[in-house]
Amino acid sequence: MAGLLAIAVSALLLAIHGELERAAVETAHARLVSGVSELGELVDQSAQNTARQHATAARTPALRDFVALRSSSEADSVRVRGILNQFVAQSPGRYMAVASTSGELLMSAGTLPDELVGRATELVRSLSPADSVVNGLPVVVGSQAYSSVAAPIVVDGAVRGGLIRWTRIGATPATEAAINRIVDPRAEVYFVHPAANLVIDPGGDVRQAPFGTGDSSTAFQVERAGADLLGARTLVDGSDWSIVALVSRDDIVLSASALFQRLVLAGLAIVLIGALVAWLASRRITKPLIRVTEAAEALARGEYHEPIALARGDEIGRLAATFDEMAHRISEAHERLTVARAEAESANAAKSRFLGTMSHEIRTPLNAIVGYTEFLLVGIGGPVSPQQRAYVERVQTSARHLLALVSDLLDLSSIEAGRLRIECHPAPLRDPVHDAVAVLESQAYHRDVTITTQCDSALWYRGDPARLRQILINLLSNAVKFSSKGGEVKIACDATETPDPAVAHYDESRWTTVTVRDAGIGIAPDKVEAIWDPFVQGDDSRTRTHGGSGLGLTISRRLARLMQGEITVESEPGRGAAFTVWLPSSTPESAANSVTAA
């Protein structure tokens, strides 16, 4: 009977397997098309907002006077510099410039790659007074692609120059995760510019994709290395870009097969249960002993049950009574443990909810404060007096400081909870170093501190570029903050086969290092180890002068260790400090290796 039941269940499952696979493929393809369309709408909205901000900035009176007169007041130059720096500060890898119609670069912000300078002339000359913004063709510099947009600077009805923005194309890890959630966690997403024959992944790397860049099909299928891929495409309104997503058909079928396997297991379980019931019925004589044995096995698995309660006075009855007493005591202990665990998990969940809620509640008004202060500073609300500008800048600085504190607390909480994900792969060292310098240039300029960089483009490392950039920004921020007026912060990159004792326990033969050195107040010997602890300042007597949450170094070292590296420090009070980031070395040839995650 059990055999017949098994045959019937197997035949039924085989009959629905094909239909289940077909439905899974159709559903996945439809979801892919819907997700790509939704992502395209979000990208279009973001591009429109950025274009409006750019066009508004180009119409600023100070910018028009600066381009028209060339000898405008120092105040106009400062305001123009402020406009450029505000756009640069919004995103790492962004560069701003003001150029004349003759192609002369009048002012720029950010370290502009040489390959982009020559594009200024053709961008400005393509502008007309009626234009709001004009998008240029993307440019590939090294392994990164840059998009460009220009807005005309119109004086007396004629174009006298242009406000140009170059932005390195690439999403942060958080944005990439959001893209995967919108489209499909299994999907490969590409941004395609047919006119430039350019295909870029969300991380900003130029790719060779198995589809035609000029195609316009909304849903399609392609083949790569003998495997079938389901594809979806959408055009981004108002631009030459399109978004393409690919999912392996085998992955979708594999999910359907996994469901089928679970159904098979469920059918087999039904058969086995029926067989077990029949077998137990045939073993009525040994039933009491079987009950005790099964109860013992269940107890060993952590399953607590009702007492056996055998009304027998023989050895089996005494064994059952003793077993019931033991199970009762274990059950009570387990209940106490379960309650304690539930209370601990509830407290931890409450903390997580509190952090998530408070971060949102704090970030929202702070972002509004920062946004409105930026409007005031660029003169959108009307002329601002020098005294008012000073007050608004202080408000903006305080709001950004609070945002940084909230971010530090959330990063520390994620690391301690083991929820922070690190994507490690080979990458050039110069990119995160230059990005960090670009972020801190404005702060260094206001403190009259010079940042010098020595970083060979041939140096590669294995790690997470976004997290390395975060580490370097923390170290550079501290170096600039603790440097005196007119001081200098030096960044030196190197490769070595002689590791520091702090990283000797790693199985690595070669290391890539980045050293951030300042000539500030230094760190007392008895504080060198304490600075890595949360909420600890290097010099308590100067905390009110320099501020800070005391989390930057803690987060930086933990991020470095998650990337199989370390941060070391050398310091002498009164003579500055040198922080060195150690990461495993890599080469461009190993960039094709599979990504590892920590």
Side-chain angles (χ1 to χ4, degrees), residues 38 46 80 172 182 234 244 268 290 299 305 314 330 365 367 370 389 441 447 472 474 529 535 590:
E38 181 181 354
S46 176
V80 172
T172 63
I182 293 173
T234 187
V244 176
L268 291 177
I290 292 174
L299 185 62
H305 53 82
D314 56 11
I330 294 176
N367 283 325
V370 172
R389 179 173 295 277
E441 277 182 342
R447 293 185 59 85
L472 294 178
N474 283 337
E529 291 302 322
F535 310 107
S590 60

Side-chain angles (χ1 to χ4, degrees), residues 260-308:
F260 173 75
Q261 291 173 2
R262 289 194 294 271
L263 292 175
V264 170
L265 292 176
L268 291 177
I270 294 173
V271 173
L272 291 176
I273 291 173
L276 181 61
V277 170
W279 180 72
L280 289 176
S282 67
R283 297 289 302 274
R284 297 179 60 88
I285 299 176
T286 59
K287 182 177 179 180
L289 186 57
I290 292 174
R291 286 180 59 188
V292 174
T293 303
E294 291 176 344
E297 292 174 348
L299 185 62
R301 294 193 301 269
E303 300 175 2
Y304 305 101
H305 53 82
E306 294 295 328
I308 300 175

Side-chain angles (χ1 to χ4, degrees), residues 487-560:
E488 182 181 15
V489 175
K490 298 180 179 179
I491 304 174
C493 306
D494 199 2
T496 180
E497 295 181 1
T498 306
D500 187 274
V503 296
H505 61 283
Y506 289 118
D507 186 18
E508 297 290 342
S509 59
R510 188 170 176 81
W511 295 86
T512 298
T513 63
V514 184
T515 300
V516 179
R517 187 182 302 274
D518 65 73
I521 63 174
I523 305 171
D526 59 341
K527 291 284 189 179
V528 170
E529 291 302 322
I531 61 174
W532 305 109
D533 296 332
F535 310 107
V536 172
Q537 299 285 336
D539 187 349
D540 293 336
S541 64
R542 295 178 65 94
T543 300
R544 292 185 178 274
T545 301
H546 295 286
S549 64
L551 292 175
L553 291 178
T554 303
I555 294 171
S556 296
R557 171 173 269 192
R558 296 188 185 184
L559 289 175

Side-chain angles (χ1 to χ4, degrees), residues 111-194:
T111 306
L112 190 65
D114 295 337
E115 294 86 338
L116 302 181
V117 175
R119 300 300 180 98
T121 301
E122 59 182 285
L123 274 175
V124 175
R125 289 178 178 173
S126 68
L127 298 172
S128 68
D131 289 331
S132 175
V133 293
V134 173
N135 294 309
L137 289 176
V139 181
V140 177
V141 179
S143 62
Q144 293 289 329
Y146 293 80
S147 65
S148 59
V149 63
I153 301 175
V154 181
V155 180
D156 297 330
V159 177
R160 299 293 297 275
L163 178 63
I164 310 171
R165 182 182 76 249
W166 290 271
T167 303
R168 190 175 70 248
I169 302 173
T172 63
T175 304
E176 287 190 52
I179 290 174
N180 288 335
R181 287 196 299 270
I182 293 173
V183 180
D184 191 321
R186 301 166 297 187
E188 303 171 11
V189 180
Y190 301 94
F191 295 89
V192 182
H193 196 287

